[in-house]
Amino acid sequence: MLRLERRRFERPRANLLLRVRPSHSGSWCVFLHGAGCDGAMFLHQMGVLPEDIGIVCWDARGHGSSTLSGPFVYADMVDDLAAVLDEVCGGRAILIGQSMGGNLAQTLAAHSPDRVERLVLIDCADNHAVLSVGDRLAMRWGTPLAFRVLPWCQLVTMSAEACALRSTNIAYAALCLHKTGRRRLEQVLTSLCDALEPNPDARFSIPTLAIVGEEDRTGRVREQLRALAERDPAVSLVEIPNAGHLANMDATDVCSAAITQFCSRPATDTQVSLSLPGNVRAPFGVEFIRLKISPQGAISQRVEAQGRVSLIDMPRHRRWIGKCPQSRKEIP
């Protein structure tokens, strides 16, 4: 059974929630979630890691149960990660990042490679990809424009549906995005431009596993990770069918198997050869949530211990029926 200790970690302008399991082998895995989400997205992956591997799973500043006063700054989050590694992990760990978390992991690996034992990149952009003028303009100005033009409920609907295929995970994404809030989410997404360092000659000096859902339609994530694996011999690519941007949630078994095998290999083993299951099952351990979002953006939720399907009701927008991961209550 997965047991994690909840710790508070003070940082400049922020108070972070860390979920920690001690390491009995000296090896650590640090889980870094995507923009607008929280560490709960990795519940399945943490639950199947070998018990001697230490775990740190945070809520990044301004996300989930972590606080933030003032604007979100990408460089501050990079400093947060370095501080967590020094304080909890002895300065070095395997970094597992989804979307924004993958960009963050790449940044630390590029600037402090001695801190990173291995990398797992899940459905994230390649920090070093060379972007066209149109892509750069879309990243810099498209997000602010969308946040100023579209109603908040519509933004959440579109974003949540773009994240995942399973109604369970769409519901999770919608709940997280509403909790993050319109202004904070805009700051986070805009700040991710600071992660980009175009350099077609960049190579990782550490073993790297890239995981992407075949149905990921966010930006150019699939194309960039494929290109990264082709140009960099340190990168192995796993493409997961029937999975979207939240591939680790849409296809928990396949993604968890890939991560567990990759993280369990000796540090001296730089070759990645994975044996993955052929079927994909739904996430284990669910509870039921009723979530209602008003046209003005107010949100209410009711968690039910058992027996009822959840309902997300967005007036004048689409309706989903599904179940949300038990991690919507804090991970124990």
Side-chain angles (χ1 to χ4, degrees), residues 23-28 52 89 92 117:
S23 173
H24 300 292
S25 62
S27 182
W28 288 87
D52 63 335
C89 308
R92 183 176 169 86
E117 182 179 331

Side-chain angles (χ1 to χ4, degrees), residues 54-122:
I55 291 174
V56 177
C57 179
W58 76 359
D59 288 351
R61 58 173 50 218
H63 290 72
S65 297
S66 293
T67 64
L68 172 62
S69 59
F72 181 93
V73 179
Y74 181 78
D76 292 341
M77 184 172 62
V78 176
D79 292 340
D80 290 344
L81 177 56
V84 168
L85 293 183
D86 289 340
E87 179 71 20
V88 183
C89 308
R92 183 176 169 86
I94 299 169
L95 302 184
I96 302 170
Q98 189 273 340
S99 196
M100 175 186 77
N103 298 124
L104 175 59
Q106 292 178 68
T107 298
L108 196 70
H111 295 279
S112 301
D114 56 311
R115 293 178 178 270
V116 184
E117 182 179 331
R118 295 185 179 209
L119 278 178
V120 178
L121 308 176
I122 306 171

Side-chain angles (χ1 to χ4, degrees), residues 12-26:
R13 300 191 301 112
N15 183 281
L16 308 182
L17 172 66
L18 306 182
R19 306 169 183 90
V20 180
R21 183 180 75 184
S23 173
H24 300 292
S25 62

Side-chain angles (χ1 to χ4, degrees), residues 168-295:
T168 302
N169 304 330
I170 295 173
Y172 162 81
L175 183 59
C176 286
L177 294 175
H178 261 281
K179 183 176 181 180
T180 302
R182 183 179 192 127
R183 183 177 180 183
R184 177 70 73 212
L185 185 61
E186 180 183 356
Q187 291 175 351
V188 171
L189 295 177
T190 302
S191 77
L192 291 182
C193 292
D194 296 336
L196 304 181
E197 302 176 275
N199 180 4
D201 298 322
R203 300 291 186 273
F204 289 119
S205 59
I206 53 178
T208 300
L209 175 64
I211 298 173
V212 64
E214 288 187 353
E215 303 302 321
D216 191 335
R217 300 287 187 262
T218 56
R220 299 184 183 275
V221 167
R222 282 188 307 157
E223 292 83 353
Q224 288 186 11
L225 288 182
R226 287 171 178 169
L228 174 63
E230 289 177 1
R231 80 163 191 267
D232 192 336
V235 179
S236 297
L237 178 66
V238 173
E239 298 191 49
I240 302 181
N242 303 315
H245 190 58
L246 291 175
N248 60 302
M249 298 183 72
D250 276 342
T252 53
D253 288 347
V254 176
C255 190
S256 297
I259 291 173
T260 299
Q261 292 179 42
F262 181 71
C263 294
S264 301
R265 293 183 178 276
T268 55
D269 185 358
T270 60
Q271 299 300 315
V272 179
S273 178
L274 304 174
S275 176
L276 303 178
N279 62 328
V280 177
R281 297 195 301 272
F284 71 87
V286 295
E287 69 183 9
F288 299 89
I289 290 180
R290 181 182 295 271
L291 171 67
K292 187 173 183 180
I293 305 170
S294 74

Side-chain angles (χ1 to χ4, degrees), residues 23-42:
S23 173
H24 300 292
S25 62
S27 182
W28 288 87
C29 286
V30 177
F31 290 86
L32 308 167
H33 61 77
C37 295
D38 60 18
M41 67 158 51
F42 293 114

